[in-house]
Amino acid sequence: MTANAALLDYLKTRRSVGIGFLKEPGPTADELREILTIGVRVPDHGKFAPWRLILIEGEARAAAGEAIAAIAKKRRPELDEAGLDIERRQFLPAPLTVGVVFSPKPNPKAPELEQLLSAGTVCFNLCNAAFAMGYGASWVTRWFAFDPEAQAALGARGGERFVGFVHIGTPTAVIEDRDRPDIDALVSRYGA
Ligand SMILES: Cc1cc2nc3c(=O)[nH]c(=O)nc-3n(C[C@H](O)[C@H](O)[C@H](O)COP(=O)(O)O)c2cc1C
């Protein structure tokens, strides 16, 4: 394998774009297919494909927000209109959100943890594919990824759960980098 300077540069500089900075246009149908294809090109011990993707786009974004808002009201009856509006708008800023569902396939060959990790890499690879095409993206979970009723309302089936919502759109701002971890503080040598 030869060195790939462009890829190295990308890996050293890529960063997420907050949902509030993601606007139209989103990926075209062909681009979306490519993003999704790259997204699931991930390590997957046993080739169980323990994930599904649910696209939230167009008018379905508002419908998903309404569903979330109704459940938010049940959880927090004190929520006022402004609070409910925040929930209704969860999927409105970006033109497209890809919900990544962890769909475990119980099998001794690949313990559930391995399958879960594979689902996480789908989220990150979707971001990478979107970035590589010039779009911005953000991988978030938020409360509804941890609420079984909300997960079901967004399309998760029995035994499944969302591991991320990857919001994708055209960035409206250049995002400053954030502090990155000090590699020396994280690395040690076994036996030293
Ligand atoms: C599993 C996971 C869940 C996340 N959920 C949220 C979230 O709910 N809200 C949020 O503001 N950021 C969330 N983040 C963080 C965003 O992805 C954040 O933009 C990211 O850490 C930026 O990293 P980067 O600049 O290296 O791309 C989450 C990150 C991960 C890995």
Side-chain angles (χ1 to χ4, degrees), residues 14-19 123-124 127 131 137-143 146 163-164 175-178 180:
R14 62 112 225 121
R15 77 147 308 181
S16 302
V17 178
I19 296 170
C123 297
F124 192 45
C127 293
F131 296 149
S138 238
W139 169 12
V140 300
T141 46
R142 300 206 162 151
W143 68 267
F146 300 92
V163 289
I175 308 296
E176 296 270 303
D177 202 5
R178 62 182 170 88
R180 298 292 165 174

Side-chain angles (χ1 to χ4, degrees), residues 10 17 22 25 27 31 35 127-137 168-172:
Y10 164 78
V17 178
L22 298 173
E31 287 173 333
I35 288 171
C127 293
N128 281 325
F131 296 149
M133 275 184 203
Y135 293 101
I168 299 173
T170 296
T172 57

Side-chain angles (χ1 to χ4, degrees), residues 31-176:
E31 287 173 333
L32 174 56
R33 194 165 180 80
E34 200 168 349
I35 288 171
L36 300 176
T37 303
I38 294 169
V40 298
R41 191 183 175 92
V42 293
D44 169 18
H45 188 186
K47 294 188 284 242
F48 294 118
W51 8 261
R52 295 194 300 117
L53 307 176
I54 297 177
L55 306 182
I56 304 171
E57 56 186 347
E59 291 178 5
R61 295 176 303 156
E66 287 294 345
I68 290 301
I71 296 165
K73 185 72 181 169
K74 279 203 254 178
R75 302 285 175 269
R76 289 172 284 155
E78 73 283 2
L79 258 188
D80 60 10
E81 261 314 298
L84 279 174
D85 222 45
I86 289 172
E87 302 299 343
R88 289 189 189 106
R89 301 183 59 76
Q90 289 279 9
F91 299 102
L92 287 188
L96 165 72
T97 298
V98 183
V100 179
V101 178
F102 171 45
S103 187
K105 310 288 185 293
N107 190 293
K109 188 170 177 190
E112 184 163 311
L113 176 63
E114 293 184 356
Q115 297 191 27
L116 178 63
L117 291 168
S118 180
T121 60
V122 171
C123 297
F124 192 45
N125 238 25
L126 287 168
C127 293
N128 281 325
F131 296 149
M133 275 184 203
Y135 293 101
S138 238
W139 169 12
V140 300
T141 46
R142 300 206 162 151
W143 68 267
F144 39 87
F146 300 92
D147 182 300
E149 188 183 356
Q151 291 185 52
L154 292 172
R157 302 175 191 142
E160 294 182 336
R161 58 166 304 167
F162 282 92
V163 289
F165 295 91
V166 179
H167 299 249
I168 299 173
T170 296
T172 57
V174 176
I175 308 296
E176 296 270 303

